[in-house]
Amino acid sequence: MIELKTFLGEAVVHKTVLSKARITIGRSDDNDLVLANPHVSRLEAVIEQTIDGHTLIDNSRNGILVDNQPVKGSVALPPSCRIEIYPFEIQFVREADDETLTIPLVRKNVSTDESPDMPLHSSQPLTAHFSGLIGESPPMLKLYQLIQNVSESPATILIRGEHGTGKELVARAIHEVSERKKQPYIPVNCAAIPIDLIESELFGYEKGAFTGAQQGKKGKIEEAEGGTIFLDEIGELSLNAQAKVLRFLQNKTIMRVGSAKEFSVDVRIVTATNRDLEEAVQQQEFRPDLYYRLRVVQLELPPLRDRMEDVPLLVSYFVKKIANDIGLIQEPLVTEDALQRLLSASWPGNVRQLENTLYSAMIRAPKSPIIDEATLMEDMGSWLSTEAQQNEETPLDTISKQALVQVLTQHQWDTTKAADVLKVSRGTIYYKMKKYGIVAPRGLRRSN
């Protein structure tokens, strides 16, 4: 049994459990442990179980260190050691009692010697957290910590956010870091189920319960026994369906359609909506008692416009993913001009819209070695916001390191005020600070 934990600072931001004798490590998505960074080879290393323990086989371009010693071909791993695969560090621990490997993954600081004018994909590090959640911005770090906290509680969770912010990814992440991770995770889109089928879909039915019921069937809730059920778009349920869900939440029991027998289920409930439930309650379109049952714990997902410093990471991740999906041999490079264009948009469709924009660009020019501004504008020109067009009058490149430091200093390092003065988003301020290596003085924190 192998447990992989990814840490960002003190917070665990990725954890998965494997049970196999051969573990592959590398940049490619088909590896067991994916280190998504251009410095890492597609297949960097292999850890194989042997009679005496485990052996690391080096398949890298740049070399691997085990306890500060270079690996030549292969090396037997001691019960506890440190594996360095630039820019990552893996702490390897083998528990003799149950043959469990605990591998915390710690991201090191990447050298800033590389030119900031190089195309994005050749210089930007990439960090993927949980189930594909990407980002290192303050809102995302806060979200990761909340996911870690709520995963340890049995409370019902309501995830709220705009379309395209990744509500299902967060729901899956909550499941994967909880004690239920080895049990089923069942997602249900409530808006996609016809009103007359919602009861049988969620709670199941007995043979002969209705015409065509030739045999009994488990509902989605019963299928999730011991695990997690994710009820997406719960704000779209009819009032009748809401009453049935409320009864389930109150009693943790279900009754199949056509049966007179209730039985208990052990299921973690995570729900999500982009609807204003408070307004729906006032309009008598959503039951207030169900609303209060759902929002025991509430997670608000930040829109992309509030975490623009994560755009380079997201772009790098999606370019790699899309290239693999459409069968490109070589991933195109994103030019600095193209990246600035992406940073200037308001992204009303959030992360999903960013992914679709890149997908469109790569489909239209599949043989191009680069994604430049002209390629993006073929698709982006129709929906770029007024704010983005105003930003063209003050290009991001004109915000020099000296000017940014001066504005931040004048406003006590309040990034919100600095963004107002420079007429850019707060996310852009974070991005430029990271690009220039600007760190707020001790005791002065950037605003959230």
Side-chain angles (χ1 to χ4, degrees), residues 39-64:
H39 292 287
V40 180
S41 303
R42 295 184 66 83
L43 177 61
E44 181 83 8
V46 177
I47 297 177
E48 289 189 344
Q49 189 172 6
T50 64
I51 297 176
D52 299 324
H54 289 82
T55 296
L56 176 84
I57 302 170
D58 181 8
N59 194 55
S60 68
R61 300 187 306 261
N62 304 320
I64 298 174

Side-chain angles (χ1 to χ4, degrees), residues 122-289:
S122 66
S123 62
Q124 289 290 342
L126 172 66
T127 305
H129 308 299
F130 293 117
S131 306
L133 292 169
I134 305 292
E136 297 179 348
S137 61
M140 291 303 288
L141 297 183
K142 181 179 178 181
L143 177 63
Y144 300 148
Q145 188 61 62
L146 286 172
I147 290 173
Q148 190 67 40
N149 293 343
V150 301
S151 68
E152 301 167 359
S153 163
T156 301
I157 297 171
L158 175 61
I159 303 170
R160 306 182 74 166
E162 299 175 5
H163 283 300
T165 50
K167 293 187 287 293
E168 184 169 355
L169 291 177
V170 172
R172 187 178 292 274
I174 291 169
H175 173 75
E176 290 186 354
V177 297
S178 72
E179 295 181 353
R180 297 174 180 265
K181 59 183 177 292
K182 298 180 183 179
Q183 303 304 321
Y185 168 80
I186 306 294
V188 179
N189 186 345
C190 297
I193 304 174
I195 293 176
D196 55 344
L197 296 180
I198 188 70
E199 186 176 3
S200 60
E201 186 73 15
L202 290 179
F203 304 106
Y205 54 84
E206 297 290 354
K207 179 180 179 180
F210 48 83
T211 302
Q214 302 297 324
Q215 59 184 6
K217 181 183 178 181
K218 290 182 178 180
K220 296 296 185 182
I221 294 174
E222 194 175 347
E223 288 180 6
E225 173 65 31
T228 304
I229 186 165
F230 172 50
L231 302 178
D232 195 8
E233 302 293 357
I234 197 166
E236 304 306 316
L237 285 178
S238 67
L239 288 171
N240 185 53
Q242 291 174 31
K244 298 180 184 299
V245 171
L246 175 62
R247 180 175 176 81
F248 160 61
L249 291 175
Q250 289 174 330
N251 302 329
K252 296 297 176 63
T253 60
I254 61 174
M255 181 188 297
R256 290 185 179 181
V257 176
S259 173
K261 180 182 178 180
E262 278 192 335
F263 57 94
S264 300
V265 288
D266 175 23
V267 176
R268 172 71 177 274
I269 303 101
V270 180
T271 64
T273 185
N274 70 320
R275 189 177 182 187
D276 187 335
L277 292 185
E278 292 81 3
E279 182 179 351
V281 168
Q282 291 180 357
Q283 298 295 325
Q284 298 184 346
E285 296 173 350
F286 201 85
R287 295 178 61 107
D289 45 3

Side-chain angles (χ1 to χ4, degrees), residues 4 14 16-18 20 22-37 40-47 57 59-61 85 88 90 105 320 324 331:
L4 306 175
H14 182 82
T16 186
V17 177
L18 300 172
K20 56 196 305 185
R22 185 176 187 270
I23 311 161
T24 57
I25 304 173
R27 189 180 77 245
S28 177
D29 289 334
D30 57 4
N31 287 295
D32 300 307
L33 178 57
V34 178
L35 306 181
N37 186 284
V40 180
S41 303
R42 295 184 66 83
L43 177 61
E44 181 83 8
V46 177
I47 297 177
I57 302 170
N59 194 55
S60 68
R61 300 187 306 261
I85 299 175
F88 300 94
I90 302 170
L105 184 66
K320 177 182 177 63
N324 183 65
E331 301 164 22

Side-chain angles (χ1 to χ4, degrees), residues 68-88:
N68 294 319
Q69 297 299 315
V71 175
K72 296 181 179 179
S74 64
V75 64
L77 295 176
S80 177
C81 64
R82 184 179 63 206
I83 303 170
E84 293 184 57
I85 299 175
Y86 183 83
F88 300 94

Side-chain angles (χ1 to χ4, degrees), residues 328-352:
L328 296 183
I329 298 176
Q330 182 67 38
E331 301 164 22
L333 300 176
V334 180
T335 67
E336 185 68 17
D337 285 345
L339 177 60
Q340 299 302 331
R341 174 62 65 179
L342 294 170
L343 283 164
S344 73
S346 60
W347 301 113
N350 293 294
V351 177
R352 187 181 298 135

